Structure formats: structure tokens, C-alpha cells
Amino acid sequence: MPPIPEKDQSCTRYTAAHLTTLPFTSEFRYCVKLLGKPVHEATFKTRVTADKSVRCVLVGDLAQGRKAQREVAYQIHHHKPEFLVALGDIVYSNGRISQYMAYFWGTYNNVAEPGR
């Protein structure tokens, strides 16, 4: 089945400089700006040295914004993994960017309490 054409969708793709000299085991705060105004702020951690353990999460069938998925997102947030691997089942041949933004980002970002 061919993809269903979508009209009037837009998204913004941001790029950053390639950072090559960041220290290991460090945390950095960043801000994404559009026309000089902040649109997103967050932190990231650099990789750890070989003598330190790493926690990660692997998740599939990520989101439709359901309560059970929000509870999984809360557990991920609670355990503070160094990274998450998205195993798939989040992109389809139809749908709108606004749905992806609401279901995926709304479920997995800024998870303050279970089921929220």
C-alpha cells in the first residue's frame, strides 16, 4: 500500500555543530532557538569512561498516549538511564506530524509522575 499523501504539515529540523572535545562523564545543558527565541531546553550526558557501568532502556511500540505507556515512561524517567533505544513501531505510512509530536513526545518527555 503506498503512503497516503499529507498536506499542510510542517516540521523544523535543527542541526548543531559536531562536538568532538567534550569531557567524559559530564552533563551539559543546551537550548534550541528559532529566530533567537528558545523553543526547547534540556540536558545531555557525555559517554562514561570504560570503568563505569551504563544503564539503558530498550522500548518498542512506543506510544499512543495510553495510560500504560505513560506508566512505562514514568519508570524510565524514575530509573534515569543514560540512553534509550527506540526499537520501532512509531512511524507509519500515514498520520500527521502533530499526532507523532503529541503521542510520542507527550508521553516520554517531562514525565513527573506515573500515568500522567
Side-chain angles (χ1 to χ4, degrees):
M1 173 184 240
I4 298 169
E6 294 291 343
K7 296 180 181 178
D8 302 319
Q9 292 193 82
S10 65
C11 64
T12 305
R13 187 174 123 184
Y14 297 93
T15 50
H18 187 235
L19 305 173
T20 59
T21 59
L22 297 176
F24 290 109
T25 319
S26 298
E27 186 171 302
F28 292 90
R29 181 160 204 69
Y30 68 91
C31 177
V32 177
K33 295 180 181 181
L34 179 62
L35 302 174
K37 295 183 180 182
V39 293
H40 183 75
E41 293 184 46
T43 60
F44 73 92
K45 294 179 183 179
T46 58
R47 65 185 177 132
V48 297
T49 56
D51 62 327
K52 299 203 177 346
S53 64
V54 177
R55 290 172 300 184
C56 71
V57 173
L58 290 86
V59 183
D61 196 9
L62 289 171
Q64 289 181 335
R66 293 184 177 140
K67 186 175 189 297
Q69 291 162 328
R70 293 190 307 270
E71 289 171 357
V72 168
Y74 173 75
Q75 290 301 318
I76 292 169
H77 169 79
H78 178 73
H79 289 287
K80 307 272 186 239
E82 276 72 29
F83 64 93
L84 179 143
V85 176
L87 299 172
D89 198 16
I90 59 171
V91 178
Y92 300 91
S93 62
N94 61 9
R96 305 207 48 86
I97 291 170
S98 60
Q99 292 170 315
Y100 178 79
M101 297 301 285
Y103 292 137
F104 180 76
W105 294 116
T107 300
Y108 288 91
N109 280 329
N110 305 317
V111 181
E113 56 188 78
R116 297 288 291 188

